Amino acid sequence: MFSEWKDAVLSSVKSKLDNFPAYDYNAVLQKPSVVQDLAQLHEKFVLVPTDKAANNISVVCKKFYVQLHHNEINSITYQPSVENVESIIDNHKAFLTQHGIKFDSNNNSLPYLYATCKMHKNPVKFRFITSGTNTSLTQLSVAIGLCLQRGLRIIKNHSRYVNKFHRRNNFYVIDSNQDVLDFMFQNNFLSGHKSITTFDFSTLYTSIPHCQLKSNLLNFVKRIFDIKNKQFIVCNLFKKFAYFSDSNSSNKSNICFSKDSLIECINFLIDNSYVIHNGNVFRQVIGIPMGTNAGPHIANIYLHEYENNHFVQLYESNKVVESSGINAEYGGGGPEYLS
């Protein structure tokens, strides 16, 4: 019965579709007049993504855009490299192979810089992004990002466990808007708070000293290995997850890091942030590239270490005042922090 009904429905639909006239596709961007107009537009202007406004573009004067790049690449953040592209990629390939990561032949290039337009700023500012989709360290950055993401979850769960019987918190890294919504509900509707103050960094990624960045990440990696009490962290690049293990389970799918090898790889990634600009190679000597896979986790951990150390000092000096809800209040009515 079902087969007969199914065949009848499909036959009816097919007959109606066959009676429809062919759709005349309007290929606007292929029209000669449109192609000519776009070519004239590109002669004087650049179309760039608009920051914090998906699927929107900004039109920027090409001369001004080139000058922006010139100023950025000649700032103290970057230094010209004496090595050429081939030798840098060969070095990256050798390092990946040494650490059990099979080098993908498609990732045979160095990233470049482009700018997004921050139209929500007054005056308008620009955010420089390192395009690293298919670069020589993409695989390493993805693997490190998975490990650090797993590490942040471990620290978050550990913080909840040790503070289970205290209304306090020493972990303030969030990965979704749910924590913000919960915070607002708790404070606005239940506690009667009517205002929230937020702060932002004007330049974070390109202002972090490498020596302090490495030190903070070193302390973080040591902490997560101590908490888990395991020998290795294993990440799967295909399934996009990482876990801790006592056995070295490296294979075609898994990349396995010990505590020391993960620290070594993180330092290598920080020290080998290269970009190509106007045919020349530059190395980023301050901060981390915005656009690399591990970048957001590295920046979060860098700041988290300062927060954690601050609260450890408060705990040890008995200056922490337990607070209601998920925010932490310290120092006799000091500021409240988003959990």
Side-chain angles (χ1 to χ4, degrees):
M1 290 293 295
F2 177 76
S3 298
E4 294 178 1
W5 175 83
K6 175 182 176 182
D7 293 339
V9 171
L10 292 177
S11 177
S12 176
V13 172
K14 185 177 184 302
S15 63
K16 292 183 178 181
L17 289 176
D18 291 340
N19 292 330
F20 279 110
Y23 178 75
D24 186 16
Y25 180 71
N26 186 18
V28 177
L29 295 179
Q30 296 179 7
K31 293 181 178 180
S33 59
V34 176
V35 172
Q36 181 180 358
D37 290 340
L38 285 176
Q40 293 178 355
L41 183 67
H42 288 159
E43 288 179 1
K44 296 182 179 180
F45 300 96
V46 178
L47 306 181
V48 300
T50 304
D51 190 55
K52 292 181 173 60
N55 301 322
N56 285 266
I57 60 172
S58 300
V59 181
V60 183
C61 170
K62 180 178 287 188
K63 182 178 180 180
F64 177 69
Y65 187 78
V66 171
Q67 186 62 46
L68 283 173
H69 276 263
H70 176 79
N71 295 341
E72 176 68 14
I73 206 69
N74 286 282
S75 66
I76 60 173
T77 302
Y78 299 92
Q79 286 184 357
S81 173
V82 296
E83 299 182 78
N84 56 38
V85 175
E86 291 75 17
S87 63
I88 292 173
I89 293 178
D90 287 343
N91 181 38
H92 293 174
K93 182 178 180 179
F95 184 86
L96 294 181
T97 303
Q98 177 187 347
H99 288 80
I101 304 176
K102 185 178 179 181
F103 185 78
D104 188 343
S105 58
N106 294 322
N107 298 340
N108 205 27
S109 63
L110 295 180
Y112 61 90
L113 280 179
Y114 72 92
T116 61
C117 193
K118 303 170 73 171
M119 297 297 295
H120 57 285
K121 298 290 186 179
N122 186 17
V124 175
K125 296 183 180 180
F126 289 83
R127 185 192 306 275
F128 289 91
I129 307 294
T130 300
S131 176
T133 304
N134 295 308
T135 65
S136 53
L137 289 183
T138 295
Q139 295 163 274
L140 182 63
S141 184
V142 172
I144 291 175
L146 291 173
C147 293
L148 297 181
Q149 183 181 39
R150 177 60 178 165
L152 285 168
R153 290 175 182 172
I154 289 170
I155 296 296
K156 181 178 182 178
N157 292 335
H158 182 260
S159 174
R160 287 180 174 178
Y161 175 76
V162 298
N163 295 315
K164 183 177 181 179
F165 301 105
H166 304 276
R167 290 192 295 269
R168 67 189 188 194
N169 180 41
N170 63 333
F171 185 86
Y172 301 100
V173 181
I174 60 175
D175 54 9
S176 71
N177 65 353
Q178 188 59 49
D179 290 326
V180 179
L181 296 176
D182 292 342
F183 170 82
M184 294 179 67
F185 177 80
Q186 176 71 27
N187 287 271
N188 192 27
F189 293 103
L190 299 185
S191 301
H193 298 169
K194 298 303 180 183
S195 65
I196 297 176
T197 303
T198 63
F199 302 89
D200 192 13
F201 293 93
S202 57
T203 53
L204 172 62
Y205 277 68
T206 56
S207 302
I208 303 175
H210 280 185
C211 58
Q212 190 59 53
L213 177 63
K214 293 178 181 178
S215 175
N216 286 16
L217 286 164
L218 171 65
N219 294 333
F220 178 83
V221 171
K222 288 181 177 179
R223 276 204 294 144
I224 60 175
F225 271 87
D226 289 342
I227 291 173
K228 296 302 293 184
N229 194 25
K230 300 290 185 180
Q231 295 295 317
F232 303 97
I233 183 170
V234 184
C235 68
N236 188 303
L237 297 183
F238 301 100
K239 296 183 178 180
K240 304 297 182 184
F241 76 98
Y243 62 93
F244 278 82
S245 173
D246 276 326
S247 60
N248 188 336
S249 53
S250 296
N251 52 45
K252 293 182 179 180
S253 301
N254 294 334
I255 302 173
C256 192
F257 297 101
S258 66
K259 177 171 61 177
D260 292 337
S261 64
L262 179 59
I263 293 171
E264 182 182 1
C265 288
I266 292 173
N267 291 340
F268 185 85
L269 183 66
I270 294 172
D271 290 333
N272 285 265
S273 298
Y274 291 94
V275 295
I276 293 181
H277 175 72
N278 199 25
N280 299 314
V281 181
F282 294 83
R283 186 171 74 89
Q284 187 168 346
V285 295
I286 300 177
I288 54 178
M290 182 174 290
T292 187
N293 298 83
H297 304 304
I298 292 176
N300 281 336
I301 291 168
Y302 171 74
L303 297 176
H304 163 72
E305 281 298 309
Y306 286 117
E307 292 175 340
N308 180 71
N309 292 339
H310 176 65
F311 274 89
V312 167
Q313 294 175 4
L314 292 176
Y315 296 158
E316 292 176 349
S317 60
N318 296 321
K319 290 184 179 180
V320 174
V321 179
E322 293 187 8
S323 63
S324 60
I326 59 173
N327 58 307
E329 186 175 336
Y330 71 91
E336 294 178 342
Y337 293 94
L338 174 61
S339 172

